[in-house]
Amino acid sequence: MAFHRKKQYAVRCVCGPEDNEGRYLIASMGLQVLWSLGLACLDAYALRIKRDLQNPVLVSLFVVGDWVTATLSLAAACSSAGVTVLYAKDVGYCSSSKMQQPLPCQRFQLSVALAFGTWFLIALSSLIMFWLLASL
């Protein structure tokens, strides 16, 4: 009686092997998208009912939300940048001589660059909201 074993195929995440920082970057940017979408819907609703949103309590909520998302985005971008430098320069996972199938490190570098750009824009938004809160 012969036993036939099923072939098992390994699924590799686009983030890289055991790359929790890449997953953290994706989760952080997902939270940023939800936060921005919520603010856009609130702005559209305020325009629809022709109401001013310059309430000190509401603006302080926006400031805190922007600070939280900016901090999370910076932490995710920095940790992903560290892992990308580790893979590309230190361990050599990007070169074909070290691995059978090298990692797409240019994609990692592009995502880290875009994450830092996103963080800069979030920080700028947070600063503008803080100035708006101070002017109320």
Side-chain angles (χ1 to χ4, degrees):
M1 197 182 231
F3 291 101
H4 296 287
R5 299 185 95 191
K6 289 184 179 180
K7 288 186 179 181
Q8 295 180 354
Y9 298 100
V11 177
R12 191 172 88 189
C13 177
V14 178
C15 304
E18 303 298 325
D19 183 14
N20 291 327
E21 289 78 14
R23 291 184 182 102
Y24 177 59
L25 178 64
I26 292 169
S28 173
M29 292 301 136
L31 177 67
Q32 178 60 43
V33 165
L34 291 175
W35 174 253
S36 297
L37 186 65
L39 288 180
C41 290
L42 184 65
D43 285 342
Y45 178 72
L47 286 173
R48 185 174 174 219
I49 63 169
K50 296 179 182 174
R51 188 162 179 206
D52 191 15
L53 291 178
Q54 292 190 357
N55 181 353
V57 174
L58 196 58
V59 173
S60 65
L61 175 72
F62 297 157
V63 169
V64 170
D66 278 347
W67 282 349
V68 167
T69 57
T71 304
L72 289 175
S73 296
L74 179 63
C78 289
S79 64
S80 295
V83 170
T84 301
V85 168
L86 175 74
Y87 286 167
K89 305 287 183 195
D90 298 335
V91 182
Y93 281 170
C94 299
S95 64
S96 60
S97 63
K98 297 264 183 173
M99 295 180 66
Q100 292 177 348
Q101 190 175 18
L103 294 176
C105 288
Q106 290 178 345
R107 288 184 192 172
F108 297 156
Q109 292 167 351
L110 178 64
S111 68
V112 167
L114 291 174
F116 276 110
T118 302
W119 167 76
F120 176 74
L121 294 174
I122 297 167
L124 186 63
S125 170
S126 177
L127 185 63
I128 290 170
M129 291 300 280
F130 184 69
W131 281 339
L132 182 66
L133 179 64
S135 71
L136 291 179

